[in-house]
Amino acid sequence: MADEVVLLDLYVSMFGMRVRVALAEKGVKYEYKEEDLRNKSQLLLQMNPVHKKIPVLIHNGKPVCESLIIVQYIDEIWKDRAPLLPSDPYQRAQARFWADFIDKKLYDIGKKIYTTKGEEQEAGKKEFIEVLRVLEGELGDKPYFMGERFGFLDIALITFYSWFHAYETLGNFSIEAECPTLISWAKRCMQKESVSRSLADPKKVYEFLVEAYGL
Amino acid sequence: MAKSDVKLIGAWPSPFVLRAQIALNLKSVEYEFLEEALGSKSELLLKSNPVHKKMPVLLHHDKPICESLIIVEYIQEVWASSGPSILPSDPYERAIARFWAAYVDEKWFPAMKGILGAQDDEARKAAVAQVAEGLALLEEAFQKISKGKSFFGGDHIGYLDIAFGGFLGWLRVIEGMGGIKLLNETETPGLLKWADDFAAHPAVKDVLPDTEKLAEFSKVVIAKLRAAAAAPAK
C-alpha cells in the first residue's frame, strides 16, 4: 500500500523545516502544502483543531502535530533507514532533553531580537548568545551533537540556522563571532542535501520578518 | 539491581516528581528517594540539573536524566522487559499520547497554576473556565484513546495517564478550594471514573499525595504565585 504523506507547513518556519529535514533523511516522498497563517486552511483547522498550528504531518489521512513529536514519529515509522534518535536510552534522553531545551528557549528569546529595541534588545541578544553558547558546550568537539552521526538533536537546532541572517541583520550582531564552533557545525550540517534542500533561504526569512512585523 | 543504582531527586507535592515515581513503580524498580527540602535546592540537585535546577532528576548509575516526561520514556526504555509497556506500541498512538502530554504541560498546567495564582475572583473564574475547557478536550481524547477501557493506556496505566494523572492531587485540591467539581458526571464522565481508577492503582496509591496534606501545602504555593504575579515585570 502506497503511503500518502502530506505536510502542512510554512516555508520560513524553523519548526516545519525540522519535519522536512526528517522526511528528506528518510527519503520519504510527500505533498507539501504551504499555509497562509493569516488565512488558515480548512484542512489545517481540521487536522490541528487544538493548536491550529503548523507543521502538521498527515500520514494516510491521520494527523501528527508538534514538530519534535512528528520527527520522532517519522523515525519510528521509517525505522529501517537513517535512524534519527540514538539507540542507547541514556543518549536518547540526552537528545530529547536538549531538543526540549531548544524549544523552551530559542524561539521566544530570538523573537526579542526583532520585536524590541534599545536596552531590551541588547538583553535579548545577550540571552540568545548565552543559549547558543550552552548548546555549543554540549556539542564540544564532536562533529554532530550525539557523536559521529547527524540526528534528532542536530535536526532540532539546525533549522534555526536559516534564521541567523535575519537575527544578525535585525539585531546588528554576528553570531559567528560569538559562537564559531556552532557555525562550523551548522555549515557541516548544510553539506547534507537533506538539510540544504529543506532549510528556507535566509534572505526570504529576513523578508518575511520585515513584512510580518513591519520592520 | 542495587537500590542505590537508581535515585530520584524530588519532593512529595510535585506532580512532575509523581510522574517519575509512578513510572518506577510500574516497572517495579527499587529506588532511593532523595527528598528535597521545600524552599531550598540541594547541591546534588544543582549539580545534576544545572540547566533548569528543577526536580525531578533521575540518577541512574549516577548519570542524571531530567524533565519528567523524558524520565518516563527513559524508564520505559531501560526497564522495557519489566511489566507492560508505558508507551503504546503503535507509533501513531505514541504520537497521540505525546501530543496530549505536551498539551497538558504547555496549556493545561499553566491554566491550573492560573487558578492558584489568581489575584481576584474574576481572574480565578477565567482560569477555571480555561481549565474546564482543557478538561473537555482531554475528556474527548480519553473517550477516543481508551476505547472503552479504564485508562488512556487501555487496560494498563500508560504515558498519558501518568502525564495527566500526576496532577490529580492538585486537581482535587483546587476542587476543594473553590467547591467546584472540575471532574463531573455531566461534563467529564470518563475522566471522573478514570480518576478513581488511577488513584486506586497499586503503582499510584502509595505515592499520590494526600489531598488534605496537599491543600495545606498549597497555601505556600499560592502565596508564591501571587507574589510573583504582583512583582514588577523583569
Side-chain angles (χ1 to χ4, degrees), chain A residues 48 50-51 62-66 69 72-73 76-77 89-90 92-94 96-98 100-101 104-105, chain B residues 49 51-52 63-67 70 73-74 77-78 91-92 94-96 98-100 103 106-107:
Chain A
N48 191 358
V50 175
H51 301 300
K62 298 197 294 190
V64 183
C65 309
E66 296 297 298
I69 291 176
Q72 286 185 88
Y73 175 80
E76 290 166 15
I77 290 283
Y90 186 74
R92 290 161 75 87
Q94 292 303 100
R96 285 175 174 140
F97 174 84
W98 288 108
D100 175 69
F101 172 78
K104 282 179 156 80
K105 306 267 179 187
Chain B
N49 190 358
V51 175
H52 300 303
K63 294 199 294 190
I65 299 106
C66 309
E67 292 301 300
I70 294 175
E73 292 226 34
Y74 176 81
E77 288 169 11
V78 172
Y92 188 74
R94 265 209 289 278
I96 296 299
R98 286 174 177 147
F99 172 86
W100 284 110
Y103 171 81
E106 283 154 34
K107 295 269 144 83

Side-chain angles (χ1 to χ4, degrees), chain A residues 26 101 138 143 198:
Chain A
K26 300 285 189 178
F101 172 78
E138 266 319 292
S198 305

Side-chain angles (χ1 to χ4, degrees), chain B residues 14-186:
Chain B
S14 164
F16 303 102
V17 171
L18 185 57
R19 289 169 169 177
Q21 289 176 291
I22 294 169
L24 288 165
N25 288 348
L26 281 171
K27 295 296 187 180
S28 307
V29 177
E30 281 206 19
Y31 64 98
E32 196 184 336
F33 188 63
L34 302 173
E35 181 105 34
E36 284 285 297
L38 298 171
S40 75
K41 298 189 189 207
S42 69
E43 268 306 305
L44 183 63
L45 174 60
L46 296 175
K47 192 182 70 155
S48 308
N49 190 358
V51 175
H52 300 303
K53 305 175 174 56
K54 284 181 169 181
M55 52 176 154
V57 178
L58 184 74
L59 291 164
H60 189 200
H61 300 302
D62 294 322
K63 294 199 294 190
I65 299 106
C66 309
E67 292 301 300
S68 63
L69 294 177
I70 294 175
I71 292 171
V72 172
E73 292 226 34
Y74 176 81
I75 290 168
Q76 163 55 33
E77 288 169 11
V78 172
W79 289 282
S81 54
S82 169
S85 181
I86 291 175
L87 274 111
S89 50
D90 173 68
Y92 188 74
E93 289 178 15
R94 265 209 289 278
I96 296 299
R98 286 174 177 147
F99 172 86
W100 284 110
Y103 171 81
V104 166
D105 273 1
E106 283 154 34
K107 295 269 144 83
W108 191 75
F109 170 60
M112 286 278 279
K113 271 205 295 192
I115 297 179
L116 291 174
Q119 307 279 27
D120 52 45
D121 276 339
E122 213 186 294
R124 190 172 302 113
K125 257 191 178 171
V128 168
Q130 262 195 306
V131 168
E133 230 180 88
L135 288 174
L137 286 176
L138 288 162
E139 170 73 18
E140 204 190 315
F142 178 76
Q143 297 292 352
K144 268 195 216 148
I145 295 168
S146 64
K147 303 193 196 64
K149 305 264 170 96
S150 305
F151 303 109
F152 286 95
D155 287 320
H156 305 285
I157 281 185
Y159 181 80
L160 186 47
D161 298 283
I162 294 170
F164 181 48
F167 293 101
L168 190 52
W170 282 100
L171 191 55
R172 287 182 167 160
V173 165
I174 287 172
E175 285 184 324
M177 263 171 57
I180 27 158
K181 286 270 160 250
L182 289 164
L183 294 183
N184 58 69
E185 199 50 61
T186 20

